[in-house]
Amino acid sequence: MFNIRPLSSEFDDEIQHRIDTKTKPLGALGDIETLALQIAQVLGKEGPKISNPKLIVFAADHGIADSGVSIAPSEVTGQMVRNFMAGGAAINVFTRQVGLDLEVIDCGVLQPFDSESGVIDQRLGAGTGPIHKRAAMTLGAVKQGFDMVTARIELHHKDGCNLIALGEMGIGNTSSAAAIMSVITAIPVTDCVGRGTGIDAATFRRKQMLVEQALLLHHSELDDPLQILACIGGFEIVQMTGAILAAAERGMLVVIDGFIATAAALVAISINVDCRDYMIFSHQSDEKGHYLMLEYLQAKPLLKLGMKLGEGTGAALAFPLIQAAVNFYNEMASFEDAGIEI
């Protein structure tokens, strides 16, 4: 489905030697050194450069939200998208600060946006089906979502973009993400479902029950990643999954945000394991299951700030660390360059 080049280890020793001989004690820059190695593997060992980076927010509504799994109604999804376009959300503040170009894609918000809004129209429907009652979408919708987002990633790639960061907006999407997590990792639903935007105890119990109900309903069809998306996914999760795979296919870095984006990463890896090498995990969110997701993927996030907002905020805040890894690799003198004998 996606032809992703496995990363070669041919130049790893050369890249590591370059890192190790910088004017610093061995390993003194810690995880920034590990990140620099990964970036050089993906973008090339000679002068890797981040060019035309994009942060893409994928927005959609979820039918399960009508059953009371969030503190906010579904209408808030559309209202927040308008806030993004007006420049007033946290993700706007952070992307402006770090110099990331922000794009918002409507994957299936309840009410469409007018053509002058600036929102990219890649709608797969007006919200998914309630996953505890029926499938979220058809398999055809999943494939259409992949096709749409692949074309979008190709457009950015042709424009010289070699890094995308993923964000999302969708009331109810932590329920779908928790269901996906439980299916793929075999971790019990009780450890996957969190309190999302801050629900009370009764709502939390209902959310757990509905996710368990969804998994029981679709049990016989959850043995294939595309069917997982069709049965219990979200329109935005589908397109994030496709974006990861399409970007990796084109040799681009992919910055994963929090709980929802990591659920998409789980599905993408299930489709093609080689995409894992292109992912940078930006932060560990405060959502209950995110630590377990990252542990399952053996992923070490760059930040841990107790955040649980989504929108791509963790990915945006991690971007300066990615830039720092590139710059130290390219610009920091070696002991030989500096005339320092050790």
Side-chain angles (χ1 to χ4, degrees):
M1 183 179 296
F2 290 88
N3 183 23
I4 298 172
R5 174 181 60 87
L7 288 189
S8 170
S9 58
E10 179 182 359
F11 300 109
D12 284 6
D13 289 345
E14 184 179 341
I15 295 168
Q16 191 62 55
H17 177 75
R18 181 167 178 168
I19 291 169
D20 289 344
T21 55
K22 300 290 187 181
T23 47
K24 59 174 181 58
L26 198 66
L29 289 178
D31 293 341
I32 298 297
E33 297 189 18
T34 306
L35 181 57
L37 173 63
Q38 179 188 6
I39 292 169
Q41 287 173 322
V42 174
L43 300 184
K45 62 186 176 69
E46 298 299 331
K49 178 184 177 183
I50 304 297
S51 62
N52 294 350
K54 306 283 183 186
L55 192 146
I56 307 175
V57 176
F58 298 83
D61 276 306
H62 291 251
I64 196 173
D66 292 340
S67 295
V69 293
S70 174
I71 62 170
S74 292
E75 288 74 19
V76 170
T77 302
Q79 292 166 4
M80 280 302 301
V81 169
R82 291 183 180 88
N83 191 26
F84 298 155
M85 303 316 295
I91 192 58
N92 300 101
V93 174
F94 295 158
T95 52
R96 282 195 298 264
Q97 176 180 317
V98 304
L100 271 172
D101 186 34
L102 177 64
E103 177 174 278
V104 182
I105 296 179
D106 175 11
C107 305
V109 179
L110 283 177
Q111 296 296 325
F113 302 91
D114 62 52
S115 57
E116 289 77 39
S117 66
V119 179
I120 306 300
D121 181 358
Q122 295 190 172
R123 293 174 61 79
L124 299 173
T128 61
I131 61 173
H132 59 298
K133 296 180 179 178
R134 60 179 185 273
M137 69 194 80
T138 65
L139 196 57
V142 175
K143 293 175 180 177
Q144 182 185 4
F146 279 12
D147 288 344
M148 283 179 165
V149 79
T150 296
R152 195 72 196 169
I153 297 300
E154 174 63 12
L155 183 69
H156 290 317
H157 182 248
K158 285 183 175 178
D159 195 38
C161 173
N162 64 4
L163 178 148
I164 62 162
L166 305 181
E168 44 63 41
M169 179 64 218
I171 299 301
N173 63 9
T174 57
S175 296
S176 278
I180 289 168
M181 173 187 174
S182 184
V183 168
I184 292 178
T185 66
I187 295 171
V189 166
T190 51
D191 292 324
C192 299
V193 174
R195 291 185 180 264
T197 49
I199 54 178
D200 61 23
T203 306
F204 178 55
R205 288 192 296 271
R206 183 186 310 116
K207 183 178 178 181
Q208 285 184 324
M209 180 188 71
L210 294 181
V211 171
E212 288 175 339
Q213 187 175 321
L215 297 188
L216 184 62
L217 175 66
H218 303 292
H219 175 72
S220 64
E221 298 180 85
L222 298 178
D223 56 356
D224 172 82
L226 297 187
Q227 287 287 5
I228 289 171
L229 289 172
C231 290
I232 58 175
F235 293 143
E236 82 280 40
I237 296 173
V238 165
Q239 295 201 36
M240 281 194 291
T241 302
I244 291 167
L245 293 162
E249 185 175 42
R250 287 155 180 78
M252 301 164 69
L253 292 164
V254 184
V255 185
I256 306 296
D257 187 43
F259 186 62
I260 317 300
T262 308
L266 285 171
V267 183
I269 292 167
S270 298
I271 294 170
N272 190 319
V273 69
D274 291 323
C275 71
R276 170 66 177 82
D277 293 335
Y278 296 83
M279 298 180 191
I280 296 170
F281 291 86
S282 62
H283 79 125
Q284 179 187 318
S285 87
D286 208 36
E287 180 67 15
K288 182 178 180 181
H290 196 216
Y291 166 76
L292 295 174
M293 271 185 177
L294 294 170
E295 189 176 60
Y296 176 84
L297 290 170
Q298 298 182 320
K300 189 173 184 181
L302 296 176
L303 300 169
K304 184 181 177 183
L305 300 171
M307 294 169 56
K308 51 183 176 182
L309 179 58
E311 301 180 8
T313 48
L317 289 174
F319 185 63
L321 298 179
I322 297 168
Q323 291 177 307
V326 170
N327 291 342
F328 118 78
Y329 181 84
N330 289 331
E331 300 173 18
M332 189 174 177
S334 68
F335 286 109
E336 184 180 355
D337 293 336
I340 299 172
E341 296 183 5
I342 56 170

